[in-house]
Amino acid sequence: MDQNVFDWGKHKPVPCTPSDPPSPLKIFTPDEGGEHPVILFVHGFMISSDLYTDLLMRITSHGYIAVAPQLFNSLAFPPIQLETQIDWAAKVADWICGGLQSSLPAGITANSNKLALVGHSRGGKNAFCLFLGHAKTVAKFSALIGIDPVAGKCGIEIAPQILNTNTFGNDVPVLVIGTGLGGERKAKYSIACSCAPKGLNHVEFYKRCSSPCYHIVAEDYGHMDMLDDGEDSLEGRLSYKICKNGKDRATMRKCVGGLVVAFLRFALEKDGKALAAIYSDPGISPTKIVVEKK
């Protein structure tokens, strides 16, 4: 690879203050002027977008503008319904197309014609739902990424149901990243369900995607391991308690960040060298991965 996607890129990520956004959100932009593709990142269930800071900055360092809304109060109960979250995500997508540019530093141009939709956990399902038209948006997505997407809990899919179809019929490239430990319970005899239960997790999303679709599983890591360490916040500490975890999050963030960047280069910039290198030799990843594609 001309530049190792698993390392930090050449750009320094710069946080930006959004102008009149439809939802509270974080923006990171490269420090170098010019035109940059955009990713809309949708957080997981009851997870603050703050806990994705390292992952978002890693991606931004490779030349992408990251927009990460907070679609509901992560500690609120009862949580906002999934359909409402999808509607809010659609409003943020519309804002990216019309309002993002005014929030960026001078010399930085957002290319909303190269827009990727990314989501983790239930946010992964939200991303798929938005892409499949469950909320209206003027945005046109050029790539779709699900990071350990989850459709429900304990064998039941949460509405809106999208796994009741044989194919999503996607017309853009899709990457589905899974975790080997996500389908396991935190403790062997726990009565709680796993965080990414079998029958509702990344495997099912990949099955329903049309070509081109890429499926990469980090076997030794869990559903929350791409988050920041987060030990200085209540939400961060809780994220270690509810899902089975791998050895360290830093390695998983490095892995996921690199996989996302390699895929974005392929899908948005027609540069498939990094993605092809990963599929040719999965051992270049910082953690063990299993790959397949169609």
Side-chain angles (χ1 to χ4, degrees):
M1 290 181 284
D2 57 339
Q3 180 186 356
N4 191 345
V5 293
F6 295 108
D7 293 334
W8 283 83
K10 65 179 182 179
H11 301 281
K12 178 182 177 181
V14 178
C16 302
T17 302
S19 301
D20 194 28
S23 170
L25 52 83
K26 301 172 71 71
I27 302 174
F28 291 103
T29 182
D31 61 338
E32 185 175 321
E35 187 175 84
H36 301 282
V38 183
I39 68 166
L40 168 55
F41 188 95
V42 186
H43 61 78
F45 176 66
M46 302 290 280
I47 303 175
S48 168
S49 59
D50 288 340
L51 288 175
Y52 298 96
T53 296
D54 184 75
L55 178 61
L56 294 172
M57 291 176 67
R58 281 184 169 273
I59 297 168
T60 297
S61 76
H62 287 271
Y64 300 94
I65 297 170
V67 179
Q70 187 67 48
L71 299 180
F72 64 99
N73 183 334
S74 58
L75 293 180
F77 189 85
I80 293 172
Q81 293 297 312
L82 189 62
E83 293 93 333
T84 303
Q85 296 171 38
I86 299 165
D87 288 338
W88 282 7
K91 289 181 173 63
V92 175
D94 289 343
W95 179 84
I96 287 174
C97 295
L100 172 60
Q101 186 58 51
S102 63
S103 299
L104 301 181
I108 301 291
T109 301
N111 186 349
S112 58
N113 291 319
K114 293 182 178 180
L115 176 60
L117 181 56
V118 186
H120 167 239
S121 189
R122 184 181 290 188
K125 178 176 179 175
N126 285 347
F128 272 85
C129 287
L130 180 55
F131 178 82
L132 294 172
H134 286 262
K136 292 182 179 180
T137 175
V138 298
K140 302 296 182 184
F141 301 105
S142 300
L144 175 61
I145 302 175
I147 301 175
D148 220 21
V150 178
K153 291 291 290 182
C154 301
I156 301 174
E157 182 174 8
I158 298 171
Q161 294 186 346
I162 61 172
L163 297 185
N164 58 359
T165 181
N166 291 325
T167 178
F168 293 145
N170 52 284
D171 55 358
V172 303
V174 179
L175 170 64
V176 179
I177 299 174
T179 60
L181 303 182
E184 299 183 16
R185 295 179 180 181
K186 174 68 172 177
K188 185 176 181 180
Y189 299 107
S190 171
I191 62 172
C193 302
S194 63
C195 288
K198 295 177 181 179
L200 296 168
N201 65 13
H202 60 96
V203 175
E204 302 304 320
F205 282 83
Y206 175 67
K207 283 180 181 178
R208 289 161 177 78
C209 287
S210 303
S211 177
C213 183
Y214 296 77
H215 187 208
I216 303 177
V217 181
E219 289 197 321
D220 300 328
Y221 284 85
H223 187 64
M224 298 289 197
D225 286 335
M226 66 292 299
L227 301 181
D228 289 356
D229 293 342
E231 295 173 346
D232 57 347
S233 70
L234 174 59
E235 292 168 271
R237 292 192 296 273
L238 286 175
S239 69
Y240 289 93
K241 304 295 184 183
I242 58 177
C243 300
K244 192 165 185 178
N245 306 109
K247 290 183 178 180
D248 72 288
R249 289 185 173 181
T251 302
M252 183 58 167
R253 292 194 300 267
K254 186 175 181 179
C255 174
V256 172
L259 296 177
V260 169
V261 169
F263 181 75
L264 292 177
R265 287 185 182 178
F266 160 70
L268 301 183
E269 303 176 78
K270 311 306 179 187
D271 179 0
K273 290 183 291 185
L275 189 61
I278 292 168
Y279 268 76
S280 176
D281 180 13
I284 65 178
S285 167
T287 185
K288 181 181 178 182
I289 58 173
V290 176
V291 304
E292 61 179 328
K293 63 181 178 179
K294 55 185 174 182

